[in-house]
Amino acid sequence: MKEKLVVIDGNSIVNRAFYGLPDLTTTDGRHTNGVLGFLNILIKIAEEEKPDYLAVAFDVKHPTFRHEMYAEYKGTRKGMPEELREQMPLLKQMLSAMGILIIECPGFEADDILGALSVKGAKDGKKVSLVSGDRDLLQLATEDVLVRIPKTKRTGTEIEDYTPAQVVEKYGVTPAQIVDLKGLMGDTSDNIPGVPGVGEKTAVKILTMFPTVEEAIAHVDEIEPKKARESLREHEDLARLSKTLATIKTDWEPEFSYETARFGNIFTDEAYKLCKELEFKSLLSRHFSPEQGLVSDDKSFDEKPQVIGNAKEADALIAGIKKDEVIGFSYCGEELILAVKGKTYVVPVAVTKESGIAVMLHKVCEKQAVLVAIDLKERLSVVEEADRPFLGDAALCAYLLNPLKNSYTYEDIARDYLKLALPAAETLLSASEPKQMSLFDEPEDTGADTEARRQVAAYEAMTAQAAYPVLLEELRKAGMEELYRTIELPLVSTLYDMEQVGMAVNRSFFGEYSKQLTEGIVRLEQEIYRLAGEEFNINSPKQLGVILFEKLKLPGGKKTKTGYSTSADILEKLRSEDPIVENILEYRQLTKLKSTYADGLPAYVAEDGRIHSKFQQMITATGRLSSAEPNLQNIPVRVELGRKIRKAFVPAEGCVFVDADYSQIELRILAHLSGDEQLIRAYREAEDIHRLTASQVFHTPYDEVTPQQRSNAKAVNFGIVYGISSFGLGQDLNISRKEAEEYINRYFETYPKIKQYLDSLVDEAKTKGYVTTLFGRRRPVPEIASSNFMQRSFGERIAMNSPVQGTAADIMKIAMIRVDARLKKDNSQAKIVLQVHDELLIETPLAEIEYVKTILREEMEAAADISVPLEVSVSTGSDWYETK
C-alpha cells in the first residue's frame, strides 16, 4: 500500500465554510463559523482518507508572480469580510494545536503549494489527495493525484472527487486542458480576461479540435464560429496570458518535510482547550475523550464527591451551613448532591429514603442558606414550596447576561464565568451509558453509568455554588440584579406550577376536527388536479414547480439545482395569477393543521387527561416566554379553521376559562419610552389610536376615516414597533414601496419623537453593542457591527424593536407573578394555565369568576407605572375558543 499525502487549500476551504454555515459567535462575540466549518471538513477528510501525511496551505498577503505579469489579476475580488478575517488567526492556532503542518510561501498562492506538493508526492511514490474549493486544481488530477472539492451545507459536507476520467466526463476536457480552457474563456473570479466573446461551450468545442491554446492560435483560420475566430485572432496575446495566469506552478519546492507533516492524533489536549474556548460543543462530544475534559486550576473540581454514609453524617453536614451561604445542589435518581464550601457531597439512596430529598433541602433552607441549581425549574419537584424564596438559578443568571446563547449548561457557565474547562455531560454519559437516559431517572444498576451520572450532577452542583456569586456580581455591574431577583427568579416558581397544572382537553374534538380537515384536504386535492389538468404529488416541490412554472407558465419561477422554488412567499405573490395557487396555499394550511394539531396534539395528552406544555424562560433574546412539547403559543389565530383548535382545550369540571389580554401593550410602551406627547394624550383620552393615526397620516378628518384607511394605519402602527421597512409595509398592504415610504414618513411627521427615539436606539446599539428595556434587560445586537448590509439592517431593526418587545415581556412576567401570588394569598382554587404573549388564561371555579376578573384587571393594569394606562380586556368561555 502506498503512503498517502493530503494537502488542503486553507483559504479556499475556510472561505467555503464561512459562507456555507450561518454566522456563529462565542459568548464574547468572536465569529467562529469559518473555523468550525473548516474543522468539520478537515475531520471528514481525515476519516475518509486516513492520511499518513497532511498539510494545510495558505495564501500570503503578498503580490505573486501573476500580479507582476498582470496587475489586474484577482482585481475584481472583494476584500475578505471582517467576520472572516478575524477567524484566520484562530484557524491557524487550532491547526497548530492539532499538530497539523501549515505552509505559507510569499510570492506563491496556496494553489501553487498544492501543485508543487502533488508533483513531489507522486514522484516520491505517494498517493496524493488535494482538497480545495477551487476548480483550477482539476488541472493537477492524475492517476496518483485525486482532487476533492467539498461543499459545505447546513446538513453536512458533501465532497466531489475528480480523477482524470471524471474531469473529462464533467467538463469535456482533460485535466491538462483546464488551463487552455481558462486561456480561452477566462475566469471572472480571478479576473483572468480570456478571449472576449468566447464562453465555456465554445472553448470546449475549440479544444476538441485543437487541444491547446497554442494549436488553436496556429489554426485560427479554421476556428468556428466566425465571432470566436475573429476574437481569437485579435486577442491571441490575451489567450496566452490567460493560460499562463491559470497555470498552477509545479516546478518548484516549497519548504516541506514528510516528518513535519506526519499525521497523528489531532484531538490533543491543546485542541480540546481551544474547542472549549470557541464553544464547539458538537466537536467536543464527538471527538474528544472524557479524560481530556478537566483542564482546571481549581483542584476541588477534580475531586470525587464524598459519599455521606448515614443520616447522622448528613445532619452534621447541614449543621455546618451558615446563613446566606451559597449551596449548590442537584440530584441523580434518589441521590442528593450538595456543593458546600468548595466540596461536593453525595447523600445516597439509603440515606435520602430515611428523610427524603425535599426534607433535607428544607433543612438547608431553614439555615437561611441560598440553594442554587442550574436550570432551577427542572429541579423544583424536590423542593418544598415554602423553601422557594431561598433558591437561586445560575443558568438564569447566565441567560440574562448573554441571551443570545442556545444553552446554559454547567460546562458553559464554568467556562464563561470560572474560566474552567469541564467535560460536557453528554461526553461523560455517552462514554458510559449504552442508551439515552435522563440524568434524573433512577439508575437501573450501580456501576460505570451511575458513577458518570453522579459525576455530572456533582459538576452541576459545584459549578452552581462556585459561579453564583460571580454571576450576581456581573448582573450588578450590568444593572440587571433587580430584574433577576424581582422578575425572572420568582417567575420560575409560577411557570413550574403552570406546567404541573396543565390544560385539560376534550379528546373527542381531535377525531372530529381531523375528519373535517381530511374532507377539506381531499376536496382541495381534486380541485388542484382539475386546475392542473393532471394528478401529481402536491407535497413535492419539484413536481409542483413543474406544474406551476412549466405547464401553467406562471411568472416568477426561480429554478434551483433541485427544481423551482415553491416556498410560501413565492406562492403568495402568485395568488392573483391563477386560482390553483389559492387552493395550494389552503391545502398546505389544512395539511399542517392536521399533522401538527389534529393528529399531533393527542400524543401529548397525559394520563390525567391534560396537556402539560413546557414554558421556556431562557430561549428568546428579548425575554419573551416560549412553550414547547407542545408549543401552545403558536396555535394559528388569524384563520378561523386554525382558531378552532382552541375548542379542544377545556377547563376542569365546575370551572370556566377567564382570559385577560393586554390591549395594544407594545404601542402603549412605545408611547411611554418615546415620550411622544400626541400619542400619550391619545391613550390617556382613550381615543381610537388607529383611527387617529389614519386621520393624521392620510390628512382626513377623524370622523371621516374609512375602514381601509384605519386598517392601513393599524399596519403602520404595529409595523413601526417592529422596525418595518417600506418594502415590508408595501408587501403587507399590497402597495408600492414608494407609497409605503410616504406612509412611514407621514407617520414620523405625526409622531416626531418616535422617530427620534428609534434613531437613538440604533445609535445606542452601535455605541454599546446592546439596547435595554424599561426594566434594564439587555439585548445584545452584534449584527449592527456587521460589514454585511443585510445583517447590519437586521441589527438596526432588532435595536428598534427589542426595548419595546422586551419591556412588554417584562410587564407580562410581572403580571403573572402578581396574579399568581394574589390567587395563592387568597387561597383561590383558580390556576394560571397558559400565557401567550399578551394573554393570560385562568382555569376558574364558577364561584370565583367575578373575583378572578377583578384580580386580573387590578394586578395586570398595575404591573408597571408608565405614562399611559395599561388596559386589560377580560372575557370568559367554556373552552379556550369561546374566550375570544
Side-chain angles (χ1 to χ4, degrees):
M1 287 284 291
K2 289 185 176 181
E3 289 187 313
K4 184 175 289 184
L5 168 65
V6 173
V7 191
I8 297 175
D9 181 344
N11 289 81
S12 172
I13 296 303
V14 75
N15 198 62
R16 290 208 164 208
F18 175 77
Y19 288 106
L21 289 179
D23 187 27
L24 302 173
T25 56
T26 59
T27 305
D28 56 10
R30 286 180 290 176
H31 296 272
T32 58
N33 58 330
V35 179
L36 179 61
F38 186 100
L39 293 179
N40 285 334
I41 293 172
L42 169 68
I43 292 168
K44 183 178 177 69
I45 291 290
E47 288 174 344
E48 292 179 356
E49 295 280 5
K50 296 180 173 54
D52 298 285
Y53 311 99
L54 187 143
V56 178
F58 286 99
D59 295 335
V60 177
K61 193 173 182 180
H62 188 282
T64 67
F65 64 90
R66 294 182 181 86
H67 291 93
E68 295 172 4
M69 296 171 59
Y70 183 59
E72 291 81 15
Y73 177 66
K74 292 190 176 181
T76 56
R77 284 197 179 182
K78 293 182 179 179
M80 183 181 290
E82 187 58 36
E83 293 88 345
L84 176 56
R85 186 185 309 281
E86 72 178 46
Q87 296 184 57
M88 298 305 291
L90 285 176
L91 174 59
K92 292 175 184 178
Q93 184 183 354
M94 180 64 78
L95 293 174
S96 296
M98 289 178 154
I100 293 173
L101 176 64
I102 295 172
I103 306 178
E104 297 172 313
C105 298
F108 294 91
E109 296 180 54
D111 286 2
D112 300 315
I113 298 173
L114 268 68
L117 291 182
S118 71
V119 170
K120 174 177 174 57
K123 181 181 177 182
D124 294 340
K126 318 290 186 191
K127 290 290 287 184
V128 180
S129 286
L130 305 178
V131 183
S132 175
D134 190 346
R135 294 178 187 272
D136 287 354
L137 269 289
L138 296 177
Q139 64 188 271
L140 301 174
T142 69
E143 295 306 320
D144 289 317
V145 178
L146 178 69
V147 177
R148 312 197 70 190
I149 311 287
K151 291 182 177 180
T152 303
K153 299 182 177 180
R154 291 179 186 237
T155 54
T157 299
E158 298 176 3
I159 300 179
E160 296 176 356
D161 290 337
Y162 288 94
T163 62
Q166 287 164 324
V167 174
V168 173
E169 181 182 348
K170 182 75 178 280
Y171 295 98
V173 295
T174 66
Q177 288 180 299
I178 290 291
V179 294
D180 298 285
L181 185 68
K182 293 288 180 77
L184 294 173
M185 64 178 280
D187 186 339
T188 54
S189 67
D190 287 341
N191 201 31
I192 295 175
V195 178
V198 175
E200 183 176 350
K201 288 185 179 179
T202 302
V204 171
K205 181 179 177 182
I206 292 171
L207 293 175
T208 302
M209 297 177 60
F210 308 108
T212 66
V213 163
E214 291 77 13
E215 288 191 49
I217 292 171
H219 296 84
V220 68
D221 293 336
E222 302 171 45
I223 297 293
E224 293 291 344
K226 179 181 178 182
K227 183 180 179 181
R229 178 170 66 247
E230 295 304 321
S231 187
L232 180 58
R233 180 180 285 122
E234 183 179 351
H235 300 289
E236 66 174 72
D237 56 332
L238 282 182
R240 295 180 193 277
L241 172 65
S242 298
K243 177 176 179 178
T244 302
L245 292 173
T247 300
I248 293 173
K249 190 169 180 60
T250 61
D251 58 345
W252 68 292
E253 289 194 15
E255 188 174 332
F256 171 84
S257 74
Y258 288 111
E259 190 55 39
T260 55
R262 183 165 294 278
F263 186 76
N265 173 33
I266 61 175
F267 304 116
T268 64
D269 289 344
E270 290 77 12
Y272 181 93
K273 293 178 189 177
L274 195 50
C275 281
K276 287 290 287 185
E277 182 184 322
L278 298 179
E279 301 169 22
F280 293 157
K281 288 188 177 182
S282 58
L283 287 183
L284 291 169
S285 60
R286 289 202 310 267
H287 301 294
F288 290 88
S289 66
E291 291 74 23
Q292 289 174 289
L294 189 61
V295 185
S296 166
D297 293 330
D298 189 336
K299 298 305 179 185
S300 63
F301 276 78
D302 203 9
E303 295 175 1
K304 287 193 175 297
Q306 180 179 329
V307 179
I308 299 296
N310 52 55
K312 185 177 179 181
E313 289 182 13
D315 289 340
L317 173 64
I318 293 170
I321 292 172
K322 306 295 185 186
K323 181 182 178 181
D324 297 327
E325 184 177 350
V326 175
I327 309 297
F329 85 97
S330 185
Y331 57 93
C332 176
E334 290 190 21
E335 291 186 346
L336 172 63
I337 314 293
L338 292 176
V340 184
K341 297 180 177 67
K343 294 184 178 297
T344 51
Y345 299 88
V346 177
V347 187
V349 175
V351 175
T352 57
K353 278 186 176 176
E354 294 176 16
S355 57
I357 290 178
V359 172
M360 295 199 66
L361 291 177
H362 176 66
K363 291 179 179 179
V364 176
C365 293
E366 280 187 323
K367 305 282 288 187
Q368 296 186 37
V370 182
L371 267 175
V372 183
I374 290 175
D375 198 355
L376 178 62
K377 181 159 65 68
E378 297 304 306
R379 317 293 188 259
L380 273 185
S381 62
V382 296
V383 180
E384 295 181 2
E385 188 166 342
D387 297 328
R388 293 180 186 178
F390 297 97
L391 302 179
D393 189 339
L396 197 51
C397 294
Y399 159 72
L400 287 174
L401 291 167
N402 186 358
L404 301 185
K405 288 170 63 68
N406 56 15
S407 71
Y408 303 92
T409 60
Y410 71 81
E411 64 268 24
D412 293 324
I413 294 169
R415 178 194 63 241
D416 298 340
Y417 299 99
L418 300 175
K419 306 305 178 188
L420 301 177
L422 301 180
E426 57 264 33
T427 304
L428 290 170
L429 296 175
S430 63
S432 62
E433 295 183 355
K435 60 188 177 69
Q436 187 67 33
M437 296 177 70
S438 165
L439 177 62
F440 306 106
D441 290 340
E442 176 112 25
E444 292 183 358
D445 53 43
T446 57
D449 64 332
T450 303
E451 285 298 316
R453 287 149 57 80
R454 180 185 285 171
Q455 186 62 60
V456 168
Y459 280 141
E460 282 197 336
M462 180 67 86
T463 301
Q465 187 254 326
Y468 195 59
V470 179
L471 289 161
L472 287 179
E473 180 58 29
E474 291 297 314
L475 286 174
R476 287 186 199 106
K477 291 178 183 176
M480 288 192 286
E481 185 181 11
E482 185 176 359
L483 172 70
Y484 166 69
R485 292 193 183 278
T486 63
I487 300 179
E488 292 294 348
L489 187 57
L491 187 68
V492 173
S493 180
T494 299
L495 295 179
Y496 174 80
D497 291 340
M498 288 169 62
E499 291 180 0
Q500 298 307 300
V501 173
M503 290 182 74
V505 295
N506 176 5
R507 289 177 182 269
S508 64
F509 170 83
F510 292 115
E512 297 167 6
Y513 186 57
S514 182
K515 181 181 177 182
Q516 181 184 357
L517 291 172
T518 300
E519 291 171 354
I521 290 167
V522 171
R523 172 181 56 78
L524 287 166
E525 277 179 344
Q526 296 309 311
E527 180 63 10
I528 291 168
Y529 295 155
R530 184 186 70 78
L531 293 168
E534 63 178 274
E535 291 192 8
F536 65 100
N537 183 356
I538 303 170
N539 296 313
S540 165
K542 188 173 184 179
Q543 293 184 35
L544 179 59
V546 170
I547 292 292
L548 296 180
F549 301 113
E550 293 185 6
K551 184 172 183 178
L552 299 180
K553 301 194 182 305
L554 299 187
K558 293 181 180 178
K559 197 164 188 179
T560 65
K561 291 181 180 179
T562 56
Y564 293 96
S565 173
T566 59
S567 60
D569 58 329
I570 296 288
L571 295 186
E572 284 291 343
K573 294 175 184 176
L574 297 173
R575 270 186 189 272
S576 59
E577 297 290 339
D578 193 293
I580 194 173
V581 178
E582 185 77 39
N583 283 278
I584 290 166
L585 286 168
E586 188 178 352
Y587 171 86
R588 285 184 175 179
Q589 193 175 75
L590 295 195
T591 54
K592 182 174 182 179
L593 288 174
K594 185 176 186 301
S595 62
T596 305
Y597 300 108
D599 300 339
L601 284 177
Y604 290 101
V605 180
E607 291 182 6
D608 61 0
R610 301 172 78 94
I611 288 178
H612 299 266
S613 180
K614 296 284 187 182
F615 294 96
Q616 299 172 311
Q617 199 174 351
M618 298 181 281
I619 296 294
T620 69
T622 59
R624 268 190 169 186
L625 294 173
S626 65
S627 78
E629 300 177 33
N631 183 354
L632 298 183
Q633 294 185 330
N634 206 31
I635 288 177
V637 292
R638 294 184 180 179
V639 180
E640 178 59 22
L641 197 54
R643 285 188 68 243
K644 282 186 177 179
I645 297 163
R646 292 184 168 208
K647 287 180 175 288
F649 295 90
V650 295
E653 188 175 346
C655 295
V656 296
F657 281 143
V658 179
D659 184 280
D661 201 340
Y662 276 118
S663 172
Q664 300 174 359
I665 187 171
E666 292 185 343
L667 273 176
R668 292 171 189 268
I669 290 167
L670 180 61
H672 172 78
L673 293 176
S674 67
D676 190 275
E677 293 87 353
Q678 183 160 327
L679 199 55
I680 291 171
R681 179 190 57 76
Y683 272 121
R684 286 179 175 174
E685 296 178 6
E687 291 191 43
D688 180 337
I689 200 70
H690 302 313
R691 179 177 289 274
L692 176 66
T693 299
S695 173
Q696 298 286 342
V697 169
F698 302 119
H699 305 299
T700 303
Y702 184 86
D703 294 333
E704 296 177 20
V705 169
T706 66
Q708 183 61 52
Q709 286 176 321
R710 185 185 183 280
S711 177
N712 287 355
K714 183 177 180 180
V716 178
N717 271 328
F718 287 118
I720 293 297
V721 172
Y722 287 91
I724 199 168
S725 65
S726 56
F727 176 77
L729 182 62
Q731 283 194 318
D732 288 349
L733 298 180
N734 198 25
I735 59 177
S736 70
R737 185 171 183 173
K738 184 177 180 182
E739 193 175 358
E741 190 169 354
E742 288 178 7
Y743 283 8
I744 293 173
N745 289 338
R746 285 185 208 159
Y747 180 93
F748 286 136
E749 288 171 8
T750 303
Y751 305 118
K753 284 199 174 178
I754 291 179
K755 179 70 165 66
Q756 294 171 21
Y757 171 65
L758 295 178
D759 288 344
S760 74
L761 291 176
V762 173
D763 292 340
E764 180 183 1
K766 288 178 178 177
T767 303
K768 297 179 179 178
Y770 62 85
V771 289
T772 56
T773 71
L774 183 63
F775 298 91
R777 181 188 303 276
R778 289 188 181 184
R779 201 300 188 184
V781 193
E783 299 89 349
I784 208 157
S786 173
S787 61
N788 180 282
F789 174 78
M790 296 298 289
Q791 277 284 93
R792 195 165 60 251
S793 298
F794 176 61
E796 290 176 358
R797 290 196 297 276
I798 288 174
M800 289 186 278
N801 165 245
S802 293
V804 176
Q805 189 181 112
T807 299
D810 291 340
I811 291 174
M812 174 52 86
K813 288 177 176 179
I814 294 168
M816 293 172 70
I817 295 165
R818 291 175 66 116
V819 170
D820 187 36
R822 182 83 173 269
L823 293 174
K824 288 175 180 174
K825 177 186 174 185
D826 296 345
N827 295 315
S828 170
Q829 296 304 302
K831 306 287 185 186
I832 304 176
V833 293
L834 186 63
Q835 183 269 345
V836 181
H837 306 315
D838 306 331
E839 173 188 3
L840 267 187
L841 194 67
I842 315 293
E843 186 177 76
T844 307
L846 294 172
E848 296 187 24
I849 292 174
E850 293 308 316
Y851 158 79
V852 169
K853 283 183 176 181
T854 301
I855 294 300
L856 285 168
R857 285 197 181 93
E858 289 179 356
E859 300 301 340
M860 291 178 71
E861 290 178 356
D865 182 16
I866 60 176
S867 54
V868 299
L870 290 174
E871 190 175 294
V872 175
S873 59
V874 181
S875 57
T876 61
S878 59
D879 58 45
W880 187 16
Y881 178 86
E882 276 192 8
T883 64
K884 291 295 183 183

